Amino acid sequence: MTARQARLHSIPAAAEQLGIGRSHLYVLMGAGRLRFVKVGKRRLIPEDAITEFIAALSAQSVDA
């Protein structure tokens, strides 16, 4: 896989990377907590969106 291909993740790949289920990933996307892009009919998760999501989770745990 080239660097360009690795920038966008499929739903199953993003869910696996985050350690959550596919359904929960859709919930996060629907709530606006995880950015995605549409390419045709597909929803893909940019690598930086995953990084931002993890950073937001880390910030929440520090604030709590």
Side-chain angles (χ1 to χ4, degrees):
M1 183 175 290
T2 66
R4 181 163 288 308
Q5 290 172 325
R7 292 183 185 177
L8 295 174
H9 299 278
S10 66
I11 299 299
E16 183 177 335
Q17 190 171 359
L18 289 169
I20 60 176
R22 191 174 61 94
S23 297
H24 189 66
L25 189 76
Y26 279 113
V27 169
L28 294 172
M29 290 166 47
R33 295 187 59 202
L34 183 62
R35 278 188 308 108
F36 64 92
V37 296
K38 286 191 81 173
V39 178
K41 292 184 178 184
R42 294 183 71 194
R43 293 179 190 168
L44 300 169
I45 313 298
E47 181 70 35
D48 61 336
I50 294 172
T51 304
E52 291 167 7
F53 177 74
I54 293 169
L57 289 177
S58 296
Q60 286 176 351
S61 66
V62 169
D63 292 341

